[in-house]
Amino acid sequence: MKNALAWRYATQKYDPTKKISHEDMQEILEAINSAPTSYGLQPFKLIHVKSPDLRAQLRAASFDQSPLTDASDVVVFTVNRNIEDQQVDSYMQRIVEIREVEREKLNRFQQNIVGVLSNLSPEELIAWNTKQAYIGLGFGLVMAAHLGIDSTPMEGFQKEKYDEILGLTDDHSVLVLTFGYRSDEDHTQHHKKVRKTLEQLVTIK
């Protein structure tokens, strides 16, 4: 894994002729789905954009960044603008189904979640949800590197235009993650990775 993480970089130019297998892409999506989130609530969704027309529109709303059309796969992370009580209740039902526990034993847990979220402003809620999406993004990056697949995390796009293009009303676009295989013409792949030393990063007390 150490070698895979050293190998990966934010790919700037993809080879549009190389495609990711369905099986590998499913592994990446499963990894994102396995990411931890606060309360396990997973307040984000993924849109796997396959339509060439939509991808061209997203590229235009991303300051003409080529990965939107040249990468094998494009995944847009969206977050809930609101989390309704019904969504939390559906999550409780999911716990009941998977863990086979009595529904009544989850009432206090549900009340705790609803109580915390109800104290957040709309802006704070989107920020909180976005933090959870970033954890999923990290898992996707690591799994892709493990599989020898290139990736590019992106924030540089017009979020409101993305929402319009993707027909979003209840959700809001916050992140993009492209996957594929680097082009031989992408010279950034030869740049040495620049990071802090562990001594600079870690303080021991």
Side-chain angles (χ1 to χ4, degrees):
M1 181 60 73
K2 180 179 179 180
N3 290 338
L5 295 178
W7 168 84
R8 76 149 303 277
Y9 72 107
T11 304
Q12 303 301 303
K13 186 175 179 59
Y14 287 88
D15 184 339
T17 68
K18 295 182 179 179
K19 303 300 180 183
I20 299 171
S21 71
H22 174 76
E23 292 74 18
D24 282 350
M25 197 60 212
Q26 286 300 112
E27 280 204 59
I28 292 172
L29 296 175
E30 288 285 356
I32 296 172
N33 193 42
S34 298
T37 59
S38 292
Y39 303 113
L41 196 56
Q42 294 181 286
F44 64 88
K45 296 177 183 177
L46 307 177
I47 300 179
H48 190 181
V49 187
K50 296 188 176 184
S51 164
D53 178 60
L54 284 180
R55 288 177 58 167
Q57 293 181 57
L58 295 181
R59 175 170 176 168
S62 305
F63 311 103
D64 198 35
Q65 295 183 75
S66 64
L68 271 300
T69 53
D70 293 349
S72 171
D73 292 83
V74 173
V75 174
V76 179
F77 287 69
T78 71
V79 299
N80 303 139
R81 294 181 185 272
N82 298 291
I83 297 181
E84 306 291 343
D85 290 353
Q86 183 179 0
Q87 290 174 263
V88 180
D89 188 64
S90 295
Y91 174 47
M92 296 300 110
Q93 288 300 128
R94 182 73 171 156
I95 295 175
V96 169
E97 293 170 8
I98 293 176
R99 296 181 179 172
E100 299 181 346
V101 297
E102 295 179 15
R103 179 63 180 82
E104 291 73 20
K105 291 184 177 180
L106 299 173
N107 288 342
R108 190 170 181 177
F109 180 42
Q110 181 172 0
Q111 291 167 2
N112 183 33
I113 296 174
V114 172
V116 169
L117 298 183
S118 64
N119 287 321
L120 299 178
S121 68
E123 295 76 17
E124 289 173 331
L125 181 62
I126 287 180
W128 185 81
N129 292 344
T130 301
K131 290 178 182 178
Q132 315 309 311
Y134 268 102
I135 302 172
L137 178 138
F139 270 54
L141 291 172
V142 172
M143 177 55 77
H146 173 68
L147 295 172
I149 293 171
D150 290 300
S151 59
T152 310
M154 302 170 63
E155 286 184 311
F157 61 94
Q158 297 169 287
K159 296 178 175 59
E160 298 301 334
K161 285 192 175 181
Y162 262 56
D163 293 348
E164 181 181 346
I165 292 167
L166 297 173
L168 302 178
T169 54
D170 297 331
D171 298 330
H172 177 54
S173 306
V174 292
L175 297 166
V176 176
L177 192 48
T178 61
F179 300 97
Y181 298 97
R182 64 190 69 176
S183 167
D184 292 338
E185 298 176 4
D186 189 355
H187 301 297
T188 56
Q189 65 187 286
H190 305 299
H191 294 173
K192 291 184 177 180
K193 194 180 294 290
V194 179
R195 296 291 187 272
K196 295 178 179 179
T197 65
L198 285 183
E199 289 74 17
Q200 292 171 323
L201 179 68
V202 181
T203 297
I204 299 175
K205 293 189 176 181

